[in-house]
Amino acid sequence: RVLEQDQLRYDSLWNSLISTEDGAACVKHLGKVVQMIGLDDKSFCMQHNRLRADKLPPAVRAKYISRCRASTHKTPAYPLFVDLGRDYLPGRADIKSQVSSFNQLYAQAAIANLLLIERLKVWAHQSGGMFRAVEDQQSTFLNWNDAQNDPNMVQKWQWTPMKRHERAFEKLLRSYGNAPSRLLDLSRNCIIFSDMTRLTNALGIIVTDDNVRVERLKNRMS
């Protein structure tokens, strides 16, 4: 009963999407794009620590260090890691080392959330996306390209907050067997689109963005 009104609104929106020939074609096209990307909601993702160079076999470690020293884009290692003799490989997860600290996840998510918002702005700019905002005490959706250069409008954006600790603990204990590595959505957000064409275009923009890597994809339209 609590979700009944939400279900009715969802059904009404879905029926309006597929009631026209163009709408049904867009939904079908989205499904093909998702299949082409090759990811689905059956993928089992987990949070892993970065791969440590000092844990690699000597020959591989020497090759990595040599490559890093030759690169002019090498980001200096944090002094504490240097003192500890640790060297982490950027963008490389250690599949044998799962994150086991709830605090670590939240510390990482706090930084990831700032980076995610900046990428959202880029994706919305390229795809004509909208964000939730509050205007005249009313919740609404504003196109990013129409309002991004207006300081007054920017103040009205309502970015999705990080998942509350209480809710995260609830999922951790009820659904994930007290395994922090399975918590994937501490930092989350969304872009809203006025039509399926923009949504599908945005998906292509995100997947081909070199700044991110898509690990899992759920097609709620299938």
Short mmCIF file of all heavy atoms in Angstrom, two decimals, residues 2 9 28 34 100 112 184:
data_model
loop_
_atom_site.label_atom_id
_atom_site.label_comp_id
_atom_site.label_asym_id
_atom_site.label_seq_id
_atom_site.Cartn_x
_atom_site.Cartn_y
_atom_site.Cartn_z
N VAL A 2 1.99 1.22 0.71
CA VAL A 2 2.88 2.37 0.78
C VAL A 2 3.40 2.75 -0.59
O VAL A 2 3.54 3.93 -0.93
CB VAL A 2 4.06 2.08 1.74
CG1 VAL A 2 5.06 3.24 1.73
CG2 VAL A 2 3.55 1.83 3.15
N ARG A 9 2.19 5.70 -10.80
CA ARG A 9 2.89 6.72 -11.58
C ARG A 9 3.89 6.08 -12.54
O ARG A 9 4.03 6.51 -13.69
CB ARG A 9 3.60 7.71 -10.64
CG ARG A 9 2.66 8.71 -9.99
CD ARG A 9 3.45 9.83 -9.33
NE ARG A 9 4.15 9.36 -8.15
CZ ARG A 9 3.65 9.40 -6.92
NH1 ARG A 9 2.42 9.88 -6.72
NH2 ARG A 9 4.36 8.97 -5.89
N LYS A 28 13.47 -0.22 -27.56
CA LYS A 28 14.13 -1.37 -28.18
C LYS A 28 15.58 -1.05 -28.52
O LYS A 28 16.49 -1.86 -28.33
CB LYS A 28 13.37 -1.78 -29.45
CG LYS A 28 13.90 -3.05 -30.10
CD LYS A 28 13.03 -3.45 -31.29
CE LYS A 28 13.55 -4.75 -31.91
NZ LYS A 28 12.70 -5.14 -33.09
N VAL A 34 22.56 -1.52 -24.74
CA VAL A 34 23.00 -2.17 -23.51
C VAL A 34 23.65 -3.52 -23.82
O VAL A 34 24.70 -3.86 -23.26
CB VAL A 34 21.82 -2.36 -22.54
CG1 VAL A 34 22.23 -3.23 -21.35
CG2 VAL A 34 21.31 -1.01 -22.05
N SER A 100 37.61 -4.11 3.37
CA SER A 100 36.97 -4.71 4.56
C SER A 100 36.61 -3.67 5.61
O SER A 100 36.11 -4.02 6.67
CB SER A 100 37.91 -5.75 5.18
OG SER A 100 39.15 -5.16 5.55
N ALA A 112 35.02 10.53 -4.07
CA ALA A 112 34.38 10.08 -5.32
C ALA A 112 33.13 10.89 -5.62
O ALA A 112 32.82 11.17 -6.79
CB ALA A 112 34.04 8.60 -5.22
N LEU A 184 28.08 -0.68 -2.93
CA LEU A 184 28.53 -0.06 -4.18
C LEU A 184 27.97 1.34 -4.42
O LEU A 184 28.41 2.01 -5.34
CB LEU A 184 28.13 -0.95 -5.37
CG LEU A 184 28.60 -2.41 -5.31
CD1 LEU A 184 28.05 -3.17 -6.51
CD2 LEU A 184 30.11 -2.49 -5.28
#
